[in-house]
Amino acid sequence: MRVFVAGGTGVIGRRLVPQLVARGHQVTATTTSAAKLELLARMGADGVVMDGLDAASVGEAVAAARPDTLVHQMTAISAAHAGKPGIRHFDRYFAPTNRLRSEGTDHLLAAAEATGVSHVVGQSVALWNGRREEGGRVKTEEDPLPRGVGRFRPAAEAISHLEDVLVKAGGAALRYGAFYGPGATDEQIEFVRKRQLPLVGGGTGWTSWVHVDDAASATVLAVEQKAQGVFNIVDDEPAPVREWLPWLAACVGAKRPLRVPTWVARMLAGELVVTMMTEAHGFSNAKARRELGWELRHPTWRQGFQDVTA
């Protein structure tokens, strides 16, 4: 197929484009920087500079590529696009990505309709389902994502918008778990080595991880099968922070993480960190395994962390 990847030089794009090319697809991939066109060419794609927030730019790029399927991997989670990272200023740091998940998604869908593209796959997230409802700590696609409050509301609304419009258009929204692997966890590992990533409270919040190559392979399957609906793209072992964080520290040869009370973390790092560390739920990948036939090369973060830090 002719596949258009919007956001081809991001963490997932760099793993996805070569997999698509290797399976015989003709790939056009976008970047916001002309300096990265050579990188896309080395990966086997036709590169194009595109501004995902400019409807005309998106329309022209999609029309020129004439794709069969469009893949939305656009984010702006980097210092170049969003400024210096800061969890306490989550709303400001994620503002460009929120726009790409709302306005950018709308531009891509409009371009798809105008050029007769029949299928769209987009990047959602399985990261902060911190709702306090009763029930198990591992959620399926049928469980609602949390309603954002305060400074987290724009991010939650952008994700909900992306999922709603993609599903209504007959496409697929892939809820990726927390990424690890090449280019995904370098900064986090450095924090662990310096003991700057502590356990908050009891570390009872759950995380669902996914290796970037597994996330890319699930995306390839969603493209090739013209999947519809929402899919959790996570590994087989959601786990509480109190399990995976000490394991990651051991894998990188660091001392055990420090432990800080929730009130201290709330004051120093903000509510998001406390929620993720103490209340968040995990996600089940049963639907993706069953309906996409997805098999993971890294089924658990336990072995995966060892592999990527060796």
Side-chain angles (χ1 to χ4, degrees):
M1 291 187 289
R2 293 190 301 273
V3 183
F4 185 95
V5 179
T9 57
V11 170
I12 287 295
R14 294 183 187 212
R15 317 304 292 185
L16 173 62
V17 169
Q19 288 193 29
L20 288 167
V21 172
R23 291 175 70 91
H25 302 297
Q26 180 182 329
V27 180
T28 298
T30 77
T31 176
T32 57
S33 170
K36 294 181 180 179
L37 291 174
E38 183 179 348
L39 170 62
L40 291 172
R42 290 200 302 269
M43 291 191 290
D46 297 323
V48 59
V49 176
M50 186 186 82
D51 179 355
L53 296 177
D54 184 321
S57 177
V58 174
E60 291 170 4
V62 174
R66 298 182 297 108
D68 302 302
T69 297
L70 190 154
V71 183
H72 179 0
Q73 296 288 350
M74 296 188 298
T75 62
I77 308 173
S78 68
H81 293 287
K84 184 178 179 180
I87 293 297
R88 286 194 63 85
H89 303 291
F90 175 88
D91 51 340
R92 295 205 297 266
Y93 183 64
F94 272 84
T97 294
N98 295 340
R99 291 188 63 197
L100 286 168
R101 287 175 172 157
S102 51
E103 298 169 45
T105 301
D106 291 344
H107 294 332
L108 286 169
L109 287 176
E113 183 177 5
T115 54
V117 178
S118 61
H119 187 242
V120 180
V121 175
Q123 177 187 139
S124 186
V125 295
L127 292 178
W128 57 57
N129 192 345
R131 302 191 69 160
R132 297 178 174 87
E133 291 89 348
E134 295 181 0
R137 296 303 295 268
V138 180
K139 302 298 184 180
T140 71
E141 291 81 356
E142 300 303 316
D143 293 298
L145 289 175
R147 295 178 296 272
V149 295
R151 67 180 59 185
F152 311 128
R153 183 181 295 277
E157 291 179 344
I159 291 167
S160 294
H161 175 80
L162 178 145
E163 292 192 357
D164 288 345
V165 297
L166 285 180
V167 172
K168 288 178 182 176
L174 306 184
R175 291 178 180 167
Y176 298 128
F179 292 141
Y180 72 95
T185 43
D186 298 345
E187 186 176 74
Q188 189 173 48
I189 287 173
E190 191 62 26
F191 286 151
V192 170
R193 286 198 172 106
K194 295 178 178 179
R195 302 187 84 192
Q196 294 176 346
L197 185 60
L199 278 169
V200 175
T204 51
W206 286 52
T207 306
S208 286
W209 291 92
V210 65
H211 191 283
V212 287
D213 286 337
D214 284 325
S217 70
T219 308
V220 171
L221 291 173
V223 166
E224 293 180 341
Q225 298 177 26
K226 296 190 180 297
Q228 298 183 1
V230 177
F231 296 85
N232 295 335
I233 306 302
V234 298
D235 75 12
D236 292 345
E237 191 179 358
V241 180
R242 65 171 179 260
E243 291 186 17
W244 66 256
L245 183 53
W247 181 261
L248 179 58
C251 288
V252 301
K255 295 180 179 179
R256 286 186 63 84
L258 299 171
R259 188 183 296 271
V260 300
T262 55
W263 69 268
V264 173
R266 187 173 287 110
M267 180 177 62
L268 296 178
E271 189 65 31
L272 177 64
V273 170
V274 173
T275 298
M276 294 292 292
M277 286 278 191
T278 63
E279 299 181 17
H281 294 295
F283 292 79
S284 166
N285 66 13
K287 180 181 178 181
R289 276 187 169 279
R290 181 180 65 251
E291 297 190 11
L292 299 179
W294 183 42
E295 296 293 336
L296 291 85
R297 292 180 59 191
H298 307 273
T300 169
W301 50 269
R302 294 182 191 274
Q303 183 62 46
F305 284 177
Q306 288 183 324
D307 293 343
V308 301
T309 58

